[in-house]
Amino acid sequence: MAATATAGTMIIKNGHVFDPLNGINGDVKDIFIRDGKVVSSLTAAQQRDAIVIDASGKTVMPGGVDSHSHVAGAKVNAGRSMRPEDHYKSVRAKTAITHSGSGYTVPSVYKQGYDYAAMGYTTVFEAAMPPLEARHTHEEMRSTPILDMGAYMVMGNNWFVMRYLKEGDIEKAAAYVAWMMRTHKAYGIKCVNPAGVENWGWAKNIHGLDEPNIHFEVTPREIIRGLAEVNEMLGLPMSLHLHANNLGHPGNWQIARDSLMIPAGIGAKNKSDLLWAETKENARRRQTVYLAHAQFSAYGGSSWRDFTSGAADLAKYINQVDDVVIDSGSVPFGPATTMTGDGPAQHDLYMLTGQKWSNTDVELECGSGVLSLVYMKSSPVHAVQWAIGLEVLLLIDDPWKTIMTTDHPNGGIFTQYPQVLTWLMSRKARDDTAKECHKWAYDKSTLGGVDRQLSLYEIAIITRANPARTIGMAYRKGHLGIGADGDVTIYDIDPSSLDTNDTKALTAKLSRPDYTIKDGQIIARNGEIVSVTEGRRFYCRPFVDEDLEKDMLADVKDWFKYYTVGFANYPVPDKYLKNPVAISVNRPLEAEALVRR
Amino acid sequence: MVDILLTTKGKIGIMVEAEVIRPDVFAAKNKEEIERLIVWQGASKLPLSDFFDVEVRGAAQTSASSGDSSQETQIIIEGDVSRVKRIGQEMKAGSIEISGSAGMHLGAEMAGGSIFVKGDAGSWSGREMKGGLLHIGGNCGDHVGCAYRGSWRGMTGGQITIDGNARSQLGGGLVGGQIMVAGDVENFCGIRQSGGRIIVRGSAIRAVGAEMNGGVIAVCKGIKQCSPGFVEVAREENPKLADPKLGEMQLEGRFIKYTGDYALGKNPKGTLYEREV
């Protein structure tokens, strides 16, 4: 390493590079980074000032991208405050450059940032931001070190959305969503148990796609279709992100499949003003619906007594279509804290387990529930959940339709990703674990008959390239094409001599990469944080026709009397964001503005 | 057998966190090595010798090492250590004897060996204990043998004997093991208990066995205010308490036997005995 190295300028030499968006599959090549961005080469003078890393015999991938994780906001903090026992046995001492921190399943913001970075991840998106909790979410993201972040806003049970969709006024719905995203600095649209969470206000839920909910009398089908159309009318970078109805209930794979059919034919449109880094493969999303934590929506059977995996059935549909991406929500066993905007699903889980539970109603917008839980190998249901969480990644043939997550901290903890990847890469690892599990693991799923072992190339797809592409971040993330962010992970894995049967070593190597590099700067070495930077906060600024927006705002102001906050205090001020990156979408001057038909 | 004598050097101001005082840490260490062990006082890391004079006695002294195994190691503490926390925490073998009173978290998470305190012990003594013997000659504070904050799993094994009184939440979340109190307890004794046995020779104030779903509690001198979720099932003369792990034990006198806590669920498995007055 040159003593006079220029920050953000680097050469990573002779590594085996896995960069799926550029079709690079383990080829030995050099990566050049200048001023934090990937470049094709450096001049001799620039090379003299560059940090040089010898990656011979190592695996080089773009920095990890987590497209679905619960890491910031009110429910995450509820999980922290109701679980002191999760904190005192998992502590991190401060160093000269890092804060102290604590928490295993729900770490403090600092520990989260360091733990993700030490594991080779540089970009993490918060999966559920209720609009009223947007300030809290941004405060926590502002305090999270290193990571580039953004948050999806929960819209599936929003009174205005439900009202406009019931009235069939899709333009006003789009105008509302656009205004809300700018107001709360949200990145994408999340839809949680559409129509069902509203019913939870009356201690009820929704169990069918065509069941109208109370008062608004709008159905899940109308909400899913409506929000997916709004998403593509506005042309957001990311598609609709769906948490399906009946989540966590036996036999729910059918409603999940039927929900995924609803947006069929809409067509993906990304109308953002962005400069795209170079890629060989198409870096633009194909999907119009991104199903969250498929494991929790791939259940067969009709009760917990005849519970089975429904993953094969769900995968069969997804294998036939091109407009769906899923993330897995895998279950790696051990302590977890479940937290979702799906209030009724959390209450059902509470009735089942009797564990500590908390519930919140978010006024006109949504709800949420939090519960502490331990996934046990001895539990028949948990053993099947483990199998399903791997089946959804192995039975869907095209890795470009899948993303590996644990729905942190619902199915498991993000620090368990290396364990999940090991199961995906090694049939032996799966068989070894199945032997320790309740026999339902293989008896009630197809996992025991699956020989597929994912390659490092496929791992790079499901942990980097595809999460970035799915959420529209592949214009700069998830690959190492020219112009991409200089985010790189170097694992001590020699692809030419990789033994996936040595499962302990594989997990250890995936847990503690040799280097985590962000914007051309070394952030972590062998799992230790060596420098701390401030990440970016991504959000979208979609626009619609001004008159349409004015009409819509009159409605909003009329119903604002039902809120406990004043209209002026509703928006998230700019000062809540550190290093904001606003992505203009559907900007009137360039794109055709959305106007009333 | 090796005796390691710790004598307090005077009054301790800010409480000291001394989880290093345990036989398995002292074993195979000489006087100087023991003196250099680090304890926390507030935000400062200080050597143990700042607070104690260390003397190593016994067979292994000549070889300049204080015992080759922890079972052979006995720590004797002279003086008042009521401002020293975590003595014997996580110890697995050996013994500790304290002539005065001990501070909080005494023997917390201990898995084996024994601790005897002549005086009083602070709150959280025997917290989440897994095995071994903890004997407190005087009174002790709250949360003895209890689960720590937020957790529902307390002591899982071993035995705690208290010659004096204990305060609230004794045996909270008890899963296994036995706690015997010669004197009285206050509130929430055996809250969330799911196994094991608590015997209180004196009285209790209220909420004994709240949210209990297993195990046995016996109170010999009355519960001032019994929880509403307990239902009388029998009256027994000299009842025998059976437990596969703890063995049989007989109480003397005539007891009311309750099942509870029905506040928790429809079919609770907790048993509460209260001696008839």
Side-chain angles (χ1 to χ4, degrees):
Chain A
M1 200 184 292
T4 55
T6 311
T9 300
M10 177 179 280
I11 311 170
I12 300 162
K13 281 196 161 155
N14 294 323
H16 295 271
V17 178
F18 293 87
D19 182 5
L21 277 169
N22 287 298
I24 300 169
N25 184 5
D27 308 356
V28 173
K29 59 181 292 225
D30 298 344
I31 303 289
F32 301 94
I33 300 170
R34 179 161 168 75
D35 296 334
K37 298 278 181 191
V38 178
V39 291
S40 57
S41 61
L42 294 175
T43 64
Q46 289 163 349
Q47 290 203 15
R48 267 198 304 279
D49 290 342
I51 297 168
V52 180
I53 294 173
D54 179 14
S56 312
K58 315 247 179 196
T59 290
V60 175
M61 289 190 188
V65 179
D66 195 339
S67 57
H68 186 113
S69 184
H70 297 276
V71 284
K75 68 182 180 324
V76 179
N77 220 31
R80 293 188 187 110
S81 54
M82 69 188 256
R83 299 206 60 190
E85 80 280 14
D86 188 48
H87 286 253
Y88 52 75
K89 283 184 182 155
S90 182
V91 294
R92 168 192 176 93
K94 74 168 190 172
T95 67
I97 55 164
T98 62
H99 282 268
S100 60
S102 66
Y104 178 67
T105 67
V106 198
S108 57
V109 282
Y110 297 116
K111 189 165 181 286
Q112 253 167 206
Y114 305 140
D115 286 356
Y116 258 118
M119 197 177 65
Y121 274 65
T122 55
T123 308
V124 177
F125 276 68
E126 160 59 41
M129 172 174 78
L132 267 176
E133 307 294 354
R135 284 180 186 233
H136 187 161
T137 309
H138 282 292
E139 279 172 332
E140 290 200 10
M141 292 199 291
R142 185 177 61 184
S143 300
T144 304
I146 304 166
L147 303 177
D148 283 355
M149 302 179 84
Y152 316 143
M153 186 159 57
V154 183
M155 300 298 279
N157 290 273
N158 183 293
W159 284 17
F160 297 96
V161 169
M162 291 193 292
R163 168 183 165 177
Y164 290 140
L165 293 180
K166 186 65 205 169
E167 289 167 358
D169 201 338
I170 194 86
E171 285 84 7
K172 259 193 182 174
Y176 175 74
V177 169
W179 174 74
M180 285 289 275
M181 292 184 77
R182 300 202 309 274
T183 299
H184 297 297
K185 307 199 163 46
Y187 183 81
I189 307 176
K190 175 83 178 292
C191 176
V192 177
N193 185 1
V197 178
E198 175 59 23
N199 271 12
W200 179 231
W202 284 264
K204 293 191 167 64
N205 198 354
I206 284 263
H207 299 288
L209 287 175
D210 296 304
E211 195 182 319
N213 68 355
I214 298 165
H215 183 78
F216 288 92
E217 297 194 322
V218 63
T219 65
R221 185 184 303 281
E222 289 167 325
I223 294 175
I224 295 168
R225 179 79 193 182
L227 283 177
E229 280 182 15
V230 163
N231 197 94
E232 306 309 329
M233 280 166 88
L234 295 173
L236 297 176
M238 176 186 177
S239 72
L240 176 66
H241 191 25
L242 179 67
H243 162 130
N245 299 91
N246 262 353
L247 181 122
H249 292 119
N252 66 6
W253 74 267
Q254 277 175 313
I255 200 167
R257 178 202 57 190
D258 295 351
S259 303
L260 296 178
M261 289 176 175
I262 296 171
I266 293 179
K269 290 172 207 75
N270 183 342
K271 301 187 203 166
S272 51
D273 300 341
L274 294 168
L275 210 64
W276 288 68
E278 283 177 28
T279 53
K280 205 171 140 205
E281 308 291 327
N282 189 354
R284 284 158 172 83
R285 69 176 163 93
R286 289 183 300 183
Q287 93 284 356
T288 45
V289 59
Y290 162 21
L291 180 70
H293 34 72
Q295 177 274 130
F296 289 111
S297 282
Y299 296 167
S302 59
S303 74
W304 295 114
R305 285 171 189 282
D306 66 357
F307 182 63
T308 64
S309 164
D313 296 301
L314 187 64
K316 195 173 155 196
Y317 171 73
I318 295 169
N319 279 332
Q320 291 163 8
V321 295
D322 284 326
D323 57 357
V324 174
V325 169
I326 61 124
D327 72 60
S328 61
S330 301
V331 176
F333 295 114
T337 303
T338 65
M339 49 177 69
T340 81
D342 195 344
Q346 288 289 341
H347 180 254
D348 291 343
L349 201 55
Y350 162 65
M351 294 303 282
L352 207 63
T353 62
Q355 290 296 316
K356 287 193 278 189
W357 166 66
S358 122
N359 177 74
T360 301
D361 173 56
V362 189
E363 304 192 14
L364 285 64
E365 298 172 347
C366 49
S368 89
V370 182
L371 186 100
S372 67
L373 195 67
V374 182
Y375 290 99
M376 291 176 297
K377 288 177 180 167
S378 56
S379 154
V381 169
H382 298 168
V384 181
Q385 287 180 302
W386 166 75
I388 298 171
L390 302 177
E391 274 182 301
V392 293
L393 292 166
L394 294 167
L395 299 178
I396 295 172
D397 302 327
D398 182 357
W400 290 102
K401 293 176 186 172
T402 62
I403 293 166
M404 190 280 305
T405 68
T406 60
D407 187 17
H408 166 84
N410 283 285
I413 314 311
F414 69 79
T415 46
Q416 294 174 297
Y417 287 176
Q419 171 67 73
V420 177
L421 296 177
T422 303
W423 283 317
L424 295 172
M425 292 175 74
S426 166
R427 155 123 215 178
K428 180 181 179 287
R430 300 198 288 270
D431 289 345
D432 287 350
T433 301
K435 276 183 212 130
E436 298 165 2
C437 288
H438 190 278
K439 62 181 167 56
W440 273 24
Y442 274 4
D443 286 0
K444 302 278 186 175
S445 76
T446 65
L447 188 64
V450 177
D451 287 325
R452 185 176 176 192
Q453 304 190 109
L454 297 192
S455 65
L456 285 168
Y457 188 73
E458 289 172 306
I459 293 298
I461 295 174
I462 67 171
T463 58
R464 277 119 172 121
N466 202 34
R469 187 168 90 164
T470 299
I471 65 170
M473 285 301 296
Y475 78 95
R476 62 191 295 170
K477 298 284 185 191
H479 66 90
L480 298 171
I482 292 161
D485 286 353
D487 296 2
V488 186
T489 313
I490 305 175
Y491 294 106
D492 183 20
I493 295 172
D494 187 340
S496 57
S497 61
L498 172 63
D499 176 12
T500 58
N501 285 333
D502 189 356
T503 57
K504 270 206 178 118
L506 180 58
T507 306
K509 285 174 174 182
L510 291 166
S511 301
R512 289 166 71 90
D514 276 9
Y515 290 89
T516 303
I517 294 151
K518 185 162 177 292
D519 302 309
Q521 195 175 335
I522 299 170
I523 298 296
R525 277 225 61 181
N526 303 319
E528 301 298 326
I529 301 295
V530 296
S531 66
V532 178
T533 55
E534 298 288 355
R536 304 176 185 85
R537 307 293 167 248
F538 293 96
Y539 71 100
C540 289
R541 293 178 52 77
F543 293 94
V544 296
D545 176 73
E546 273 176 34
D547 293 334
L548 176 59
E549 182 158 313
K550 220 177 270 173
D551 276 3
M552 176 275 300
L553 276 179
D555 297 337
V556 172
K557 281 173 183 159
D558 178 36
W559 269 13
F560 230 83
K561 58 185 178 242
Y562 299 122
Y563 268 112
T564 57
V565 296
F567 187 74
N569 295 326
Y570 194 48
V572 174
D574 289 336
K575 66 176 180 196
Y576 277 65
L577 281 74
K578 222 180 250 174
N579 303 330
V581 180
I583 299 172
S584 285
V585 181
N586 201 34
R587 197 159 57 169
L589 293 177
E590 303 200 336
E592 52 200 285
L594 178 66
V595 288
R596 185 159 268 211
R597 273 196 288 265
Chain B
M1 199 71 191
V2 177
D3 287 351
I4 298 147
L5 188 68
L6 301 182
T7 312
T8 50
K9 279 186 164 175
K11 229 175 144 205
I12 294 169
I14 294 170
M15 288 208 193
V16 172
E17 311 250 348
E19 66 274 16
V20 292
I21 305 181
R22 50 183 263 205
D24 24 5
V25 170
F26 281 14
K29 286 194 174 65
N30 62 28
K31 178 179 183 312
E32 289 71 31
E33 286 168 328
I34 293 169
E35 283 174 340
R36 279 200 300 270
L37 289 170
I38 295 295
V39 296
W40 286 86
Q41 187 180 38
S44 320
K45 278 180 180 177
L46 299 164
L48 193 62
S49 56
D50 276 20
F51 303 97
F52 294 97
D53 289 318
V54 179
E55 191 185 329
V56 180
R57 298 173 180 163
Q61 202 178 8
T62 46
S63 66
S65 109
S66 60
D68 35 27
S69 77
S70 26
Q71 288 97 319
E72 295 282 290
T73 306
Q74 173 167 243
I75 301 175
I76 299 163
I77 304 178
E78 291 286 349
D80 175 47
V81 283
S82 57
R83 297 190 69 75
V84 179
K85 298 197 274 187
R86 303 182 191 276
I87 295 172
Q89 178 167 303
E90 293 181 47
M91 69 183 266
K92 291 176 179 66
S95 65
I96 300 178
E97 216 179 288
I98 302 170
S99 69
S101 294
M104 290 197 278
H105 300 277
L106 173 72
E109 297 177 55
M110 72 185 278
S114 67
I115 300 178
F116 175 63
V117 199
K118 271 197 184 137
D120 301 336
S123 295
W124 303 109
S125 291
R127 157 178 71 78
E128 297 178 0
M129 182 169 163
K130 299 178 183 84
L133 300 171
L134 173 59
H135 186 167
I136 296 156
N139 301 318
C140 52
D142 298 307
H143 300 281
V144 173
C146 187
Y148 203 38
R149 296 288 185 212
S151 170
W152 287 350
R153 276 177 72 80
M155 178 172 168
T156 54
Q159 180 157 343
I160 300 177
T161 306
I162 301 161
D163 295 345
N165 303 321
R167 294 183 21 172
S168 293
Q169 303 217 199
L170 176 107
L174 190 73
V175 177
Q178 178 166 281
I179 306 178
M180 312 261 281
V181 187
D184 304 327
V185 298
E186 296 184 4
N187 311 306
F188 296 100
C189 166
I191 182 172
R192 281 230 161 231
Q193 183 176 343
S194 61
R197 190 190 277 164
I198 300 175
I199 311 290
V200 180
R201 299 286 179 195
S203 65
I205 297 174
R206 68 180 187 104
V208 175
E211 298 194 343
M212 165 183 204
N213 192 29
V216 177
I217 306 176
V219 181
C220 300
K221 286 189 181 159
I223 302 167
K224 288 195 179 70
Q225 200 182 325
C226 199
S227 294
F230 284 80
V231 173
E232 184 180 329
V233 289
R235 302 237 166 179
E236 291 178 9
E237 198 80 41
N238 302 334
K240 277 183 185 164
L241 314 183
D243 183 302
K245 280 188 188 149
L246 300 169
E248 203 175 76
M249 176 179 193
Q250 189 156 26
L251 299 173
E252 279 176 30
R254 200 175 148 75
F255 281 80
I256 312 167
K257 184 183 185 181
Y258 300 92
T259 297
D261 183 349
Y262 282 90
L264 189 70
K266 287 183 182 128
N267 189 23
K269 306 240 171 13
T271 305
L272 171 62
Y273 286 97
E274 183 189 11
R275 190 150 68 187
E276 281 186 44
V277 187

PDB file of all heavy atoms in Angstrom, chain A residues 63-75:
ATOM      1  N   GLY A  63     -19.591  -5.116  -3.999  1.00  0.00           N
ATOM      2  CA  GLY A  63     -20.050  -5.034  -2.607  1.00  0.00           C
ATOM      3  C   GLY A  63     -21.461  -5.599  -2.481  1.00  0.00           C
ATOM      4  O   GLY A  63     -22.271  -5.473  -3.391  1.00  0.00           O
ATOM      5  N   GLY A  64     -21.736  -6.249  -1.358  1.00  0.00           N
ATOM      6  CA  GLY A  64     -23.051  -6.872  -1.150  1.00  0.00           C
ATOM      7  C   GLY A  64     -24.171  -5.846  -1.106  1.00  0.00           C
ATOM      8  O   GLY A  64     -23.982  -4.726  -0.617  1.00  0.00           O
ATOM      9  N   VAL A  65     -25.325  -6.241  -1.647  1.00  0.00           N
ATOM     10  CA  VAL A  65     -26.505  -5.369  -1.653  1.00  0.00           C
ATOM     11  C   VAL A  65     -27.645  -6.129  -0.990  1.00  0.00           C
ATOM     12  O   VAL A  65     -28.009  -7.219  -1.434  1.00  0.00           O
ATOM     13  CB  VAL A  65     -26.909  -4.982  -3.089  1.00  0.00           C
ATOM     14  CG1 VAL A  65     -28.157  -4.102  -3.080  1.00  0.00           C
ATOM     15  CG2 VAL A  65     -25.760  -4.280  -3.803  1.00  0.00           C
ATOM     16  N   ASP A  66     -28.192  -5.580   0.066  1.00  0.00           N
ATOM     17  CA  ASP A  66     -29.338  -6.193   0.730  1.00  0.00           C
ATOM     18  C   ASP A  66     -30.579  -5.389   0.367  1.00  0.00           C
ATOM     19  O   ASP A  66     -30.694  -4.225   0.739  1.00  0.00           O
ATOM     20  CB  ASP A  66     -29.127  -6.210   2.249  1.00  0.00           C
ATOM     21  CG  ASP A  66     -30.096  -7.156   2.938  1.00  0.00           C
ATOM     22  OD1 ASP A  66     -31.146  -7.463   2.336  1.00  0.00           O
ATOM     23  OD2 ASP A  66     -29.807  -7.589   4.072  1.00  0.00           O
ATOM     24  N   SER A  67     -31.477  -6.019  -0.358  1.00  0.00           N
ATOM     25  CA  SER A  67     -32.649  -5.290  -0.846  1.00  0.00           C
ATOM     26  C   SER A  67     -33.850  -5.407   0.089  1.00  0.00           C
ATOM     27  O   SER A  67     -34.890  -4.814  -0.168  1.00  0.00           O
ATOM     28  CB  SER A  67     -33.043  -5.800  -2.229  1.00  0.00           C
ATOM     29  OG  SER A  67     -33.285  -7.197  -2.175  1.00  0.00           O
ATOM     30  N   HIS A  68     -33.716  -6.180   1.165  1.00  0.00           N
ATOM     31  CA  HIS A  68     -34.844  -6.307   2.100  1.00  0.00           C
ATOM     32  C   HIS A  68     -34.326  -6.644   3.495  1.00  0.00           C
ATOM     33  O   HIS A  68     -33.970  -7.772   3.781  1.00  0.00           O
ATOM     34  CB  HIS A  68     -35.830  -7.382   1.642  1.00  0.00           C
ATOM     35  CG  HIS A  68     -37.070  -7.449   2.489  1.00  0.00           C
ATOM     36  ND1 HIS A  68     -38.321  -7.113   2.017  1.00  0.00           N
ATOM     37  CD2 HIS A  68     -37.248  -7.779   3.796  1.00  0.00           C
ATOM     38  CE1 HIS A  68     -39.213  -7.260   2.990  1.00  0.00           C
ATOM     39  NE2 HIS A  68     -38.582  -7.666   4.088  1.00  0.00           N
ATOM     40  N   SER A  69     -34.304  -5.636   4.353  1.00  0.00           N
ATOM     41  CA  SER A  69     -33.828  -5.849   5.713  1.00  0.00           C
ATOM     42  C   SER A  69     -34.509  -4.819   6.600  1.00  0.00           C
ATOM     43  O   SER A  69     -34.860  -3.736   6.139  1.00  0.00           O
ATOM     44  CB  SER A  69     -32.306  -5.664   5.749  1.00  0.00           C
ATOM     45  OG  SER A  69     -31.808  -5.943   7.034  1.00  0.00           O
ATOM     46  N   HIS A  70     -34.737  -5.182   7.852  1.00  0.00           N
ATOM     47  CA  HIS A  70     -35.378  -4.233   8.769  1.00  0.00           C
ATOM     48  C   HIS A  70     -34.306  -3.669   9.699  1.00  0.00           C
ATOM     49  O   HIS A  70     -33.881  -4.331  10.634  1.00  0.00           O
ATOM     50  CB  HIS A  70     -36.500  -4.916   9.538  1.00  0.00           C
ATOM     51  CG  HIS A  70     -37.593  -5.395   8.633  1.00  0.00           C
ATOM     52  ND1 HIS A  70     -38.614  -4.568   8.213  1.00  0.00           N
ATOM     53  CD2 HIS A  70     -37.804  -6.580   8.027  1.00  0.00           C
ATOM     54  CE1 HIS A  70     -39.416  -5.247   7.394  1.00  0.00           C
ATOM     55  NE2 HIS A  70     -38.946  -6.472   7.265  1.00  0.00           N
ATOM     56  N   VAL A  71     -33.847  -2.485   9.387  1.00  0.00           N
ATOM     57  CA  VAL A  71     -32.691  -1.929  10.071  1.00  0.00           C
ATOM     58  C   VAL A  71     -32.903  -0.511  10.589  1.00  0.00           C
ATOM     59  O   VAL A  71     -32.023   0.024  11.246  1.00  0.00           O
ATOM     60  CB  VAL A  71     -31.451  -1.931   9.145  1.00  0.00           C
ATOM     61  CG1 VAL A  71     -30.870  -3.324   9.020  1.00  0.00           C
ATOM     62  CG2 VAL A  71     -31.784  -1.381   7.766  1.00  0.00           C
ATOM     63  N   ALA A  72     -34.035   0.087  10.319  1.00  0.00           N
ATOM     64  CA  ALA A  72     -34.232   1.469  10.765  1.00  0.00           C
ATOM     65  C   ALA A  72     -35.713   1.763  10.940  1.00  0.00           C
ATOM     66  O   ALA A  72     -36.532   1.350  10.127  1.00  0.00           O
ATOM     67  CB  ALA A  72     -33.634   2.444   9.743  1.00  0.00           C
ATOM     68  N   GLY A  73     -36.041   2.468  12.011  1.00  0.00           N
ATOM     69  CA  GLY A  73     -37.406   2.928  12.200  1.00  0.00           C
ATOM     70  C   GLY A  73     -38.030   2.467  13.497  1.00  0.00           C
ATOM     71  O   GLY A  73     -37.401   1.802  14.320  1.00  0.00           O
ATOM     72  N   ALA A  74     -39.305   2.802  13.630  1.00  0.00           N
ATOM     73  CA  ALA A  74     -39.981   2.632  14.909  1.00  0.00           C
ATOM     74  C   ALA A  74     -40.097   1.171  15.326  1.00  0.00           C
ATOM     75  O   ALA A  74     -39.877   0.818  16.482  1.00  0.00           O
ATOM     76  CB  ALA A  74     -41.372   3.261  14.827  1.00  0.00           C
ATOM     77  N   LYS A  75     -40.435   0.276  14.385  1.00  0.00           N
ATOM     78  CA  LYS A  75     -40.636  -1.117  14.802  1.00  0.00           C
ATOM     79  C   LYS A  75     -39.303  -1.778  15.127  1.00  0.00           C
ATOM     80  O   LYS A  75     -39.223  -2.624  16.006  1.00  0.00           O
ATOM     81  CB  LYS A  75     -41.394  -1.908  13.736  1.00  0.00           C
ATOM     82  CG  LYS A  75     -40.577  -2.103  12.493  1.00  0.00           C
ATOM     83  CD  LYS A  75     -41.339  -2.830  11.426  1.00  0.00           C
ATOM     84  CE  LYS A  75     -40.456  -2.995  10.209  1.00  0.00           C
ATOM     85  NZ  LYS A  75     -39.531  -1.902   9.895  1.00  0.00           N
TER      86      LYS A  75
END
